[in-house]
Amino acid sequence: MAELGKKYCVYCLAEVSSLRFRCTECADIELCPECFSAGAEIGPHRRWHGYQLVDGGRFTLWGAEAEGGWSSREEQLLLDAIEQFGFGNWEDMAAHVGASRTPQEVMEHYVSMYIHGNLGKACIPDVIPNRVTDHTCPTGGPLSPSLTMPLPPLDISVAEQQQLGYMPLRDDYEIEYDQDAETLISGLSVNYDDDDVEIELKRAHVDMYVRKLKERQRRKNIARDYNLVPAFLGKDRRDKEKPSKRKITKEEKELRLKLRSLYQFMSCKEFDDFFENLHKEKVLRTKIRELQRYRRNGITKMEESAEYEAARHKREKRKENKNIGTSKRGKEDGKEGEFAAIENLPGFELLSDREKVLCSSINLSPARYVTVKTIIIKDHLQKRQGIPSKSRLPSYLDKVLKKRILNFLTESGWISRDAS
């Protein structure tokens, strides 16, 4: 007859007082670990029925030869403690396991069995892969670290800081862009009795304030990027420290002024690269046209281009010298032939160069021009003195010639404009 207080497996009749598996669906069905693992079935009991682990408190998880003789109940309390208090809080874990275990014993048992033991070797890989995913965006993105990293303060003197109202430790100014932006949220408060409309209105105020802050920071970044503060103070250090690689032409300066509106969309480096690429494009187009000109003239090798350019330069120089000589001779001949019709007439030597041109253009003899000029000037002087006079111009002078002569005398200063 079985001894009282002892439990036996219903299949193999082995003693299972220390550890047994009890079926939750069948009454009085308790199996030993060996029969349970083999899937033993007896009576109405089947292997897929639910079960409950019954521990008498004397079962050792690591075997009787394990160091310290930790029971399964203590092992369960240890795992509960490590989950509750975390790794390293050995004093709290020892108090949770029981007074029979010291913090040193708890630490040594957990490290030896669960980390360096077979269970730790099976669960913890030798090389732990990096499963951390970087969700931050590039510089300037919504989650970019650059948004929270303060920029270095401006390199300006104390007097210049006072002039600008600049606070270097905060990288702020005494008067910021949209100085009254904080009034949007200064009076906001969260109340429990706010309805949905009031909550949405307060959110809209906060959103407006955030947009104003972003605009304020955007303007600061543009001023910092394009070095506007030193330029305002009259000492653009950037140009001194980094000399220009090439001389900027007048056309490029005018184009830069026209495209200043792009500053808010492009960084200073991107803007400089843009114009540098425009210059490279212009150089390449010039080179392409030069190569096409070589090809049209039958040149297929670069060695032949030097000889061709030298010959072309000489040819253009000869042509230029020839044109200069021709123009000089033409001017001399023109001057001699221009007054050929009136140079032998009386009074020619009394005329100035401009009067000679006038008489030649209107086909008027020098003597008649001198007569008309004398009459007009005499009448002008009598009118200025208040003496009434009647114009006595010759009959051969029509209205067109009279008007041209009057305009000429007026421009030359002989008579006033009112008299003409």
Side-chain angles (χ1 to χ4, degrees), residues 122-148:
C123 298
I124 304 176
D126 296 335
V127 179
I128 300 177
N130 184 14
R131 298 181 180 179
V132 179
T133 304
D134 185 10
H135 293 283
T136 59
C137 298
T139 303
L143 299 178
S144 173
S146 62
L147 297 180
T148 58

Side-chain angles (χ1 to χ4, degrees), residues 155-385:
D155 184 17
I156 56 179
S157 63
V158 177
E160 293 169 344
Q161 292 176 7
Q162 295 176 354
Q163 179 184 356
L164 296 173
Y166 177 69
M167 295 174 285
L169 297 180
R170 297 178 56 183
D171 194 26
D172 283 338
Y173 296 89
E174 293 179 1
I175 301 178
E176 294 280 358
Y177 168 76
D178 203 348
Q179 183 73 7
D180 300 331
E182 282 71 18
T183 57
L184 289 170
I185 60 170
S186 59
L188 292 183
S189 61
V190 180
N191 302 320
Y192 293 103
D193 55 348
D194 290 342
D195 55 14
D196 295 340
V197 177
E198 293 176 341
I199 293 175
E200 292 299 326
L201 182 61
K202 292 178 180 179
R203 287 179 178 175
H205 277 242
V206 174
D207 184 59
M208 292 166 60
Y209 175 66
V210 170
R211 288 201 299 268
K212 290 179 180 292
L213 289 183
K214 289 182 178 179
E215 177 64 19
R216 183 182 295 174
Q217 187 62 37
R218 186 184 72 88
R219 291 171 178 259
K220 287 183 181 179
N221 294 338
I222 291 177
R224 181 71 65 90
D225 189 19
Y226 284 92
N227 217 30
L228 298 183
V229 173
F232 172 76
L233 296 174
K235 50 174 186 178
D236 196 347
R237 294 190 185 93
R238 180 171 62 87
D239 293 341
K240 295 180 181 179
E241 295 174 357
K242 184 181 179 181
S244 180
K245 297 181 181 179
R246 60 181 178 85
K247 185 177 180 180
I248 299 178
T249 61
K250 182 180 179 181
E251 292 78 8
E252 185 173 340
K253 289 182 180 180
E254 295 177 352
L255 184 59
R256 283 176 179 265
L257 291 177
K258 292 180 181 179
L259 298 179
R260 281 186 301 179
S261 58
L262 296 179
Y263 286 1
Q264 57 182 326
F265 306 110
M266 303 171 65
S267 64
C268 183
K269 184 178 182 305
E270 292 175 345
F271 199 74
D272 292 339
D273 292 343
F274 172 69
F275 276 95
E276 191 66 27
N277 291 333
L278 286 180
H279 175 70
K280 291 180 180 178
E281 180 187 6
K282 184 178 180 181
V283 173
L284 289 176
R285 289 181 180 274
T286 304
K287 188 65 176 177
I288 290 174
R289 287 195 296 268
E290 182 181 2
L291 294 176
Q292 290 176 345
R293 180 165 52 85
Y294 289 161
R295 179 58 62 89
R296 286 194 301 268
N297 287 277
I299 298 175
T300 58
K301 296 182 180 180
M302 293 301 298
E303 294 80 5
E304 302 173 353
S305 62
E307 183 179 356
Y308 169 78
E309 288 294 335
R312 185 175 68 86
H313 179 71
K314 292 179 180 179
R315 184 170 62 254
E316 290 180 352
K317 192 172 183 180
R318 287 196 304 268
K319 185 177 180 181
E320 182 180 356
N321 295 334
K322 182 178 180 181
N323 292 335
I324 293 175
T326 304
S327 62
K328 287 182 178 180
R329 289 194 301 270
K331 288 180 180 180
E332 295 175 355
D333 297 341
K335 284 185 178 180
E336 294 176 356
E338 183 179 3
F339 309 130
I342 62 175
E343 62 181 351
N344 296 323
L345 297 178
F348 178 78
E349 67 278 359
L350 301 176
L351 303 180
S352 64
D353 292 340
R354 294 185 61 191
E355 289 175 331
K356 292 177 182 178
V357 174
L358 175 65
C359 292
S360 177
S361 62
I362 63 177
N363 196 17
L364 185 66
S365 64
R368 290 186 175 185
Y369 168 75
V370 172
T371 303
V372 174
K373 176 181 175 183
T374 303
I375 295 173
I376 292 176
I377 294 176
K378 184 177 180 181
D379 292 343
H380 171 65
L381 293 175
Q382 289 179 353
K383 288 181 180 179
R384 291 188 61 180
Q385 295 175 2

Side-chain angles (χ1 to χ4, degrees), residues 21-74:
F21 293 89
R22 178 183 297 168
C23 181
T24 58
E25 300 181 17
C26 304
D28 300 330
I29 297 295
E30 295 180 341
L31 300 174
C32 65
E34 289 79 4
C35 295
F36 176 79
S37 61
E41 297 179 351
I42 183 172
H45 175 69
R46 294 294 177 266
R47 64 171 66 95
W48 58 82
H49 286 180
Y51 66 93
Q52 180 182 2
L53 178 63
V54 181
D55 179 16
R58 299 182 299 273
F59 171 70
T60 58
L61 185 62
W62 310 105
E65 67 279 1
E67 182 179 358
W70 284 62
S71 63
S72 59
R73 191 181 302 278
E74 289 177 327

